[in-house]
Amino acid sequence: MKHPLRILIVDDSPEDAVLIVRHLQKEFSPIYERVETPDEMNDALDRGGWHLVVSDYVMPRFSGLGALELMHERGIDLPFIMVSGQMGEDAAVEAMRAGAHDYLIKDRLSRFIPAIKRELREAVVRRERRVAEEALSATEARFQSLVEQSLVGIFMLQEDIFIYANPKLGAIFGYAPEELIEKRSFVDLVVGEDQIRVLTQFLRPLKEGSEPLHFFFRGKRQDGAAIDLEVNGTRTLINGSDAVIGTLLDITERRRAEAELSKLWRAVEQSPVSVVITDLRGCIEYVNPKFIEVCGYSEPELIGVKTSILKSGNMDDEFYRDLWQTICSGKEWHGELHNRKKNGDLYWESCSISAVKNPEGQITHFVGVKEDITERKLVVDQLRQVQKMEAVGQLAGGIAHDFNNLLTVINGYSTLLIRALDEKSPMHKEAEQILRAGERAADLTRQLLSFSRRQIMEPRVLDINRQVKAVQKMLERLIGENIRLVTDLAPDAGLVKMDPGQLEQIVMNLVVNARDASDTGGVITVETANCELGESYTHLHPGSQQGSFVRLSVTDRGQGMTTEVKQRLFEPFFTTKEMGRGTGLGLATVYGIVKQCGGYIEVISEPGQGARFDIYLPRTFQEAESQAKQHLDEAIDTDHTILVVEDEPGVLNLVVHTLRMRGFRVLETTDPEQGIVLFDQHADEIDMLLTDVVMPFMSGPTLAERLLAKNPKLKVLFMSGHTDNRTSFEKTLERGMQFLPKPFASDALIRKVRDTLQGTGSQEAARAIPGGSN
């Protein structure tokens, strides 16, 4: 089967065209078209599909060279064979130079078919080559575009000199590419301190045939700024010579970001607060060391586990629902969590939880920042308890002041009434009942004053071990036979400065309280020891002070206390005993005395584990004072004039009546100013001033100071149920002034007046009389 052949014949002779086609029919199935002008040829070429162009050399209106030029102008590459009836050698050479692929003589067409076959084959080869070249050119263009527009610096070096640099490389260093190529070496763009390292560890190894290298160094921009760079280089050949081709990346911002991230990471890792990151289900993805330290779990035990592993069970489901609703809405949640550690201990945390969002604003994680506030809450609770006790103490002190004035009148007149009645009279016993009730009430008010720290004291330097031993026998009788009292007194226990009677009150009240907690028997231990309280202790125990202390401890093995009971332990009138077994003032009294001395109480107790009361009393390094002996009744010299100043009329009448009954001359007034007037009028007669401490417009100590300025030999006796400025008044007593606490009975008043006039007064004498009466 003959191959079809579409042939375009450029010839002015139809006969010659037919001759050519007939010759071709021997091997092909030719389809042809004859043209003889440029326009006709253009039209034929526009229609396309031709395999071959055969052209005459010379024609009246066209020529073979013209046909070749037309094809070249149109960029058409077809086999072109020149055929002519009279073509010389010069014409043939000219035709071949013009682009003809072969030339033939019309009457010698024996080479025609072989020439056509050859040219058709070569046309295919040329077409394939052209396609390949076009593809290569397109690839090179794309590669060139990629390199030129790359966001990474790309370079080629020969002998360390740039032979190529893309625009990005130039931009990194602040140069145009042409300012680098053939003009600068790679080392020129390296900071001075890194040049030797770049030469010896990057450029030289590549020249010597090293594998591709990845290297970091500091570069130098045209403006002098130093930049962090990352370079990759490999050895290659360019035009037969060794070269280096590589990429370079400016990592200055990345390094800065890495440094910031590293700093943030270190901050989180070393943070004093706990940090946790979870996924949207609450499963832990990260915890910092502080989180691990607080909860006690290891990192492997926490990663992938839900945060509910820390739940204590003390917070209801509604609390957690509100937490999740808040953070899932993208809001920040703040609050306190009561959690449980791995070892079972409960602890409180102040927590802030917020959502972590991606650039599209979608929540991807949650981050929690938590602080262990267990100690802080303990301190706050203790401080709140201290403040509550202070408020209750102020109320108790005010009540005790008014009661003492009333009880002074009740007990004083009861004593006078008893003395006036026959012992066999029924009314005598009734009066005694009134006095006993008044004395019991006086005990209560005295305890209230101790609690509220308004009781006047005569502090002395005491050996605490001696004081404990002095009451030990009495304590053993108090606790009964089924409970054993053990003392463990440190031989080197220090000295304390306080009222001896109040120290005895502390010991007695604590032992009695321990006895009541040990109904079934057991052991009560009283211990003494020296101790130092430091900052760590005072930080956790509001109300305590740093310094040297003597610790008095009373321990029992009784029923112990709950946290709720411990919080109310020192409130006046609070008791866990059944009705009739206690007033609830024993421990309140201890609290008041200890606070008044500048000390501190710590209670350690758990239900069923007994209790330990540690009393910290400030240690003094003064020498201990000898105990004063109690004065016995002596004859009373009543040949004296006494000025009595008392703002409470009932107390004033009782005092004046009692003194006058014993034979004293008395001047009286309820007004301190009037007292000064009376003193001025009877200065030569008055031997003693008996005055209340707290009075309106002028206090008793102020009145005494003014009268002593007039007569330094004047004897002074103060009386009061309490004082607003206890510390200042106690300093007054330290100067030798005498004091009689309210309520008092007539005998106590007369004894104290006698002691004051004789200059032998001692607080011990008044303390020896329970309730201030006998």
Side-chain angles (χ1 to χ4, degrees):
M1 183 178 178
K2 296 178 181 180
H3 292 285
L5 182 67
R6 290 178 57 80
I7 181 170
L8 177 62
I9 298 174
V10 183
D11 202 325
D12 61 335
S13 170
E15 292 81 4
D16 289 346
V18 169
L19 178 65
I20 291 171
V21 170
R22 285 179 181 172
H23 194 79
L24 291 174
Q25 286 176 343
K26 297 175 182 179
E27 295 283 341
F28 300 98
S29 297
I31 299 173
Y32 79 98
E33 180 178 345
R34 185 183 66 82
V35 297
E36 54 183 285
T37 66
D39 292 339
E40 290 176 350
M41 185 175 180
N42 271 322
D43 291 341
L45 291 173
D46 287 340
R47 287 190 292 274
W50 306 110
H51 295 137
L52 180 70
V53 175
V54 176
S55 175
D56 193 1
Y57 183 70
V58 178
M59 291 173 285
R61 294 183 292 172
F62 204 18
S63 69
L65 295 176
L68 271 173
E69 184 178 357
L70 188 151
M71 287 179 61
H72 290 164
E73 289 176 355
R74 296 191 54 162
I76 295 174
D77 181 16
L78 288 175
F80 191 101
I81 297 176
M82 194 79 75
V83 178
S84 177
Q86 46 181 354
M87 191 173 183
E89 183 177 342
D90 293 339
V93 171
E94 184 181 10
M96 294 298 288
R97 287 177 176 174
H101 294 100
D102 207 344
Y103 62 90
L104 298 171
I105 302 300
K106 286 185 179 182
D107 56 357
R108 300 177 189 173
L109 294 178
S110 59
R111 287 193 313 107
F112 192 35
I113 290 178
I116 289 176
K117 289 181 177 180
R118 185 192 67 241
E119 291 305 322
L120 287 176
R121 287 193 303 270
E122 290 184 358
V124 171
V125 172
R126 287 197 307 275
R127 185 164 55 250
E128 289 176 351
R129 184 185 301 118
R130 185 170 61 250
V131 170
E133 290 174 349
E134 289 175 353
L136 178 60
S137 177
T139 299
E140 289 177 346
R142 287 194 295 270
F143 178 75
Q144 181 70 19
S145 176
L146 180 64
V147 171
E148 293 291 309
Q149 299 177 31
S150 173
L151 298 179
V152 176
I154 299 174
F155 63 90
M156 288 186 287
L157 304 172
Q158 280 187 330
E159 299 300 325
D160 300 341
I161 302 297
F162 288 101
I163 61 171
Y164 173 77
N166 73 338
K168 181 61 180 179
L169 185 91
I172 289 174
F173 292 99
Y175 294 95
E178 54 270 19
E179 294 179 289
L180 297 174
I181 298 171
E182 305 293 348
K183 296 177 181 177
R184 292 187 180 273
S185 71
F186 190 87
V187 178
D188 291 339
L189 305 181
V190 180
V191 297
E193 56 267 27
D194 276 5
Q195 287 181 350
I196 293 177
R197 194 166 60 88
V198 169
L199 281 170
T200 58
Q201 299 179 31
F202 181 70
L203 294 175
R204 185 180 299 166
L206 286 175
K207 286 181 181 179
E208 295 172 352
S210 167
E211 294 295 320
L213 291 179
H214 185 211
F215 195 72
F216 295 92
F217 68 98
R218 296 273 284 169
K220 180 174 60 179
R221 286 178 50 85
Q222 185 180 27
D223 58 12
I227 52 177
D228 292 303
L229 299 170
E230 177 182 359
V231 63
N232 289 280
T234 186
R235 186 184 183 200
T236 188
L237 289 175
I238 297 178
N239 298 327
S241 300
D242 289 337
V244 172
I245 184 170
T247 61
L248 187 138
L249 188 64
D250 184 351
I251 59 170
T252 306
E253 284 302 311
R254 190 178 84 191
R255 281 283 173 87
R256 186 192 63 79
E258 288 174 350
E260 290 294 322
L261 184 60
S262 176
K263 182 165 61 177
L264 178 62
W265 177 260
R266 291 195 305 272
V268 172
E269 285 286 293
Q270 300 172 23
S271 172
V273 297
S274 300
V275 179
V276 56
I277 299 175
T278 75
D279 62 16
L280 298 180
R281 297 179 299 134
C283 293
I284 298 173
E285 293 188 358
Y286 168 80
V287 290
N288 72 338
K290 186 64 176 180
F291 188 100
I292 295 170
E293 175 189 334
V294 170
C295 73
Y297 289 96
S298 65
E299 186 175 2
E301 290 175 313
L302 292 169
I303 301 301
V305 177
K306 289 191 175 181
T307 52
S308 57
I309 190 176
L310 302 177
K311 280 187 177 181
S312 65
N314 294 334
M315 313 190 84
D316 56 30
D317 293 340
E318 182 63 30
F319 174 87
Y320 291 106
R321 276 196 297 271
D322 175 69
L323 186 157
W324 276 101
Q325 287 174 0
T326 301
I327 61 176
C328 288
S329 66
K331 299 177 182 176
E332 189 171 0
W333 182 88
H334 299 276
E336 294 181 355
L337 296 172
H338 201 196
N339 285 335
R340 187 182 302 275
K341 299 183 180 183
K342 182 181 180 180
N343 63 5
D345 290 347
L346 297 177
Y347 66 105
W348 282 95
E349 289 186 303
S350 175
C351 183
S352 295
I353 305 175
S354 55
V356 179
K357 300 179 180 179
N358 61 18
E360 289 73 38
Q362 298 171 324
I363 298 175
T364 60
H365 295 82
F366 297 112
V367 59
V369 179
K370 307 192 294 180
E371 181 182 7
D372 186 347
I373 59 169
T374 307
E375 292 183 0
R376 187 190 307 167
K377 284 185 73 70
L378 176 62
V379 169
V380 170
D381 289 343
Q382 290 177 335
L383 181 59
R384 188 179 295 117
Q385 181 70 6
V386 169
Q387 292 172 338
K388 182 172 69 173
M389 297 296 285
E390 292 290 331
V392 175
Q394 289 183 2
L395 175 63
I399 293 172
H401 171 258
D402 292 334
F403 274 19
N404 277 336
N405 281 331
L406 295 174
L407 290 171
T408 300
V409 177
I410 294 171
N411 293 357
Y413 280 111
S414 296
T415 303
L416 294 176
L417 183 60
I418 290 171
R419 288 183 177 277
L421 292 172
D422 187 287
E423 291 186 6
K424 297 180 180 180
S425 169
M427 293 184 66
H428 186 279
K429 293 183 179 180
E430 293 169 356
E432 286 180 335
Q433 291 295 326
I434 294 174
L435 179 58
R436 277 196 290 272
E439 289 175 343
R440 288 172 58 192
D443 287 338
L444 290 176
T445 56
R446 187 164 53 253
Q447 289 177 320
L448 285 173
L449 285 172
S450 295
F451 167 72
S452 61
R453 287 172 277 164
R454 297 191 179 191
Q455 188 176 29
I456 307 302
M457 299 191 305
E458 279 190 308
R460 303 176 61 181
V461 177
L462 304 174
D463 181 334
I464 194 169
N465 287 349
R466 183 184 300 171
Q467 297 298 125
V468 172
K469 291 175 182 177
V471 296
Q472 185 171 353
K473 292 295 183 183
M474 180 176 60
L475 293 174
E476 290 172 347
R477 291 195 299 271
L478 275 175
I479 62 177
E481 297 179 355
N482 66 325
I483 299 175
R484 186 161 58 96
L485 180 67
V486 176
T487 57
D488 183 8
L489 309 179
D492 62 341
L495 304 176
V496 296
K497 188 173 184 179
M498 62 183 300
D499 190 299
Q502 290 195 331
L503 179 55
E504 292 174 6
Q505 275 187 283
I506 291 175
V507 178
M508 292 178 62
N509 279 318
L510 290 179
V511 170
V512 168
N513 185 72
R515 177 202 66 187
D516 294 339
S518 308
D519 285 341
T520 58
V523 177
I524 297 174
T525 304
V526 179
E527 304 170 75
T528 58
N530 298 323
C531 63
E532 296 286 332
L533 299 187
E535 183 179 356
S536 59
Y537 184 89
T538 57
H539 174 71
L540 296 176
H541 298 81
S544 62
Q545 302 292 328
Q546 297 182 43
S548 298
F549 290 82
V550 178
R551 186 182 68 223
L552 171 68
S553 302
V554 177
T555 307
D556 65 69
R557 302 176 185 176
Q559 58 195 15
M561 290 174 280
T562 63
T563 302
E564 292 73 15
V565 170
K566 283 192 291 185
Q567 288 177 343
R568 301 190 59 191
L569 195 59
F570 300 112
E571 292 181 14
F573 310 116
F574 172 77
T575 179
T576 58
K577 304 169 187 175
E578 61 268 22
M579 185 68 68
R581 284 201 59 192
T583 62
L585 284 173
L587 292 179
T589 300
V590 172
Y591 176 87
I593 294 173
V594 173
K595 288 297 181 182
Q596 192 169 358
C597 296
Y600 181 74
I601 304 178
E602 181 179 12
V603 182
I604 304 169
S605 181
E606 295 292 338
Q609 302 296 318
R612 177 187 176 97
F613 285 77
D614 286 331
I615 310 298
Y616 295 91
L617 300 172
R619 185 178 181 182
T620 183
F621 295 92
Q622 301 176 17
E623 293 185 3
E625 301 176 16
S626 60
Q627 298 288 335
K629 295 181 180 180
Q630 180 174 322
H631 293 277
L632 302 175
D633 287 341
E634 300 175 1
I636 300 175
D637 179 8
T638 61
D639 187 21
H640 295 283
T641 299
I642 302 174
L643 173 61
V644 181
V645 183
E646 166 64 63
D647 65 312
E648 177 61 41
V651 177
L652 178 65
N653 291 336
L654 171 66
V655 170
V656 171
H657 178 69
T658 302
L659 293 175
R660 284 176 176 165
M661 280 185 61
R662 298 301 293 267
F664 291 101
R665 294 183 297 277
V666 181
L667 300 174
E668 59 181 288
T669 180
T670 58
D671 183 2
E673 293 287 352
Q674 182 63 29
I676 296 175
V677 173
L678 287 173
F679 185 84
D680 289 339
Q681 293 173 351
H682 304 276
D684 295 336
E685 306 171 32
I686 297 174
D687 301 296
M688 190 183 83
L689 169 67
L690 174 57
T691 178
D692 192 13
V693 175
V694 180
M695 296 183 291
F697 308 116
M698 185 184 299
S699 69
T702 302
L703 173 62
E705 290 290 338
R706 295 182 62 173
L707 297 188
L708 284 169
K710 297 174 183 292
N711 180 9
K713 296 182 179 180
L714 180 69
K715 305 292 185 180
V716 179
L717 172 60
F718 294 108
M719 56 182 174
S720 180
H722 86 296
T723 174
D724 290 333
N725 192 343
R726 176 183 55 78
T727 303
S728 176
F729 182 63
E730 287 174 357
K731 290 180 179 178
T732 300
L733 295 182
E734 290 175 359
R735 292 162 51 192
M737 304 291 184
Q738 299 300 312
F739 174 68
L740 177 64
K742 294 179 183 179
F744 52 79
S746 57
D747 288 352
L749 172 62
I750 296 302
R751 287 173 184 273
K752 201 64 179 176
V753 169
R754 178 203 64 191
D755 293 340
T756 303
L757 289 170
Q758 293 179 354
T760 59
S762 168
Q763 200 62 19
E764 291 298 310
R767 187 177 299 111
I769 307 170
S773 62
N774 56 358

